[in-house]
Structure formats: structure tokens, C-alpha cells
Amino acid sequence: MSNWSHCCARSLPCRFEWQPAAQVTAGLLVLGLLAMLALMASAWPRPALNLAVCIAGLLAVLQALQWQRGAPLAFVVDRYQARASCDGIELEQLLLIQRCGVYVLRWRLAGRQRQCVFLPGQLPAAVISELHQWPRTPAPFHKGSGGGTIA
């Protein structure tokens, strides 16, 4: 996990770090292996099957390597001043979501949505508490949704 995480002093910002987890890398490789096995169990003709299995295996390895080589991200969250930053860059629309024990931290940066996944035990309880208390702003309506009007 991280070598530094500091949180919960009333006047100090909360600091924590995200790093790629080896468990996620292993999961990506296992999913690639399962995709290869599913292809081999299919009724594809042999020449197309060989090519598809090779492509699935190569894509799984490339995705796992790309994930593992991801640079660590240093977050600073100050909910009293309603400011959050990642590696010194201000973040917009910070949101912490919990799904099946896994925490997903989402934010907008330069108009694009980004996210980090934290496995159980990767975030200290003080950081989770601080992020749950982050001021939330309502998400804008999607342009194609009719603007939220009731017909």
C-alpha cells in the first residue's frame, strides 16, 4: 500500500496514495486465461481459433502489464476548504463509491472522468471516513435525457 497516509486532524488535509495492486494484475491474467479456455471450448474452425486464442492471451498480458506499470497517485483531500488534488492537480466532482467491499474513487480532470480502485484493507478507516464526509454536488443531467422534465 502506501508509505504515507495521514488523516483526521481537524485542520490538516487528508493525504493518501494509490498504487496498482498485484491482486488486480493477477485477476486480469486469470480473466485472460479464462477467455482463452472459453475460446478453445468453442466450435470455431482451427485456424481462426488459434489466432483468437493468441490475441486473447496477448491482450490479457498487455493489460496486466499496463495496469502494473501505472504510476502511484498522491491524493490530498481537504474537506474543510472543499479542495482535492492528485499529484498537485485540482480535482472536480470527487466521489467515493463502495461496491462489494471495494472502494472506487471517481473524479473529473480536464473534462474526463477518472477513477482508482482500492481493495479491502488498502485504505485506512480514517481516510474512508474523511472521503465519505466529502461535500457532494448533484450530478448534472445528461444532455440526451430531456433535461429532467416530466412529460
Side-chain angles (χ1 to χ4, degrees):
M1 204 246 27
S2 130
N3 291 342
W4 62 281
S5 77
H6 147 98
C7 213
C8 276
R10 291 270 181 213
S11 61
L12 296 176
C14 179
R15 300 174 188 274
F16 60 98
E17 187 175 74
W18 173 87
Q19 294 179 347
Q23 296 94 333
V24 176
T25 304
L28 288 171
L29 291 173
V30 167
L31 286 174
L33 178 65
L34 290 174
M36 292 168 55
L37 291 173
L39 284 170
M40 291 190 317
S42 70
W44 280 27
R46 181 59 94 189
L49 176 65
N50 291 341
L51 181 62
V53 168
C54 289
I55 290 173
L58 181 65
L59 287 176
V61 169
L62 289 176
Q63 283 185 335
L65 286 174
Q66 180 183 12
W67 172 265
Q68 192 61 36
R69 291 181 180 165
L73 301 174
F75 291 94
V76 178
V77 176
D78 186 354
R79 72 178 162 101
Y80 295 104
Q81 295 183 6
R83 293 177 41 191
S85 66
C86 174
D87 293 335
I89 301 170
E90 291 291 322
L91 304 178
E92 303 169 6
Q93 298 177 358
L94 188 70
L95 178 64
L96 182 70
I97 302 167
Q98 181 182 11
R99 294 200 173 125
C100 301
V102 175
Y103 287 96
V104 179
L105 184 64
R106 290 187 177 165
W107 69 92
R108 286 190 99 50
L109 182 63
R112 296 187 65 194
Q113 184 170 338
R114 299 205 45 208
Q115 66 183 19
C116 286
V117 176
F118 293 93
L119 298 176
Q122 201 174 9
L123 274 178
V127 173
I128 294 169
S129 173
E130 189 77 14
L131 290 172
H132 276 304
Q133 296 174 19
W134 179 257
R136 296 180 187 218
T137 57
F141 287 109
H142 186 270
K143 290 180 183 175
S145 68
T149 58
I150 300 174

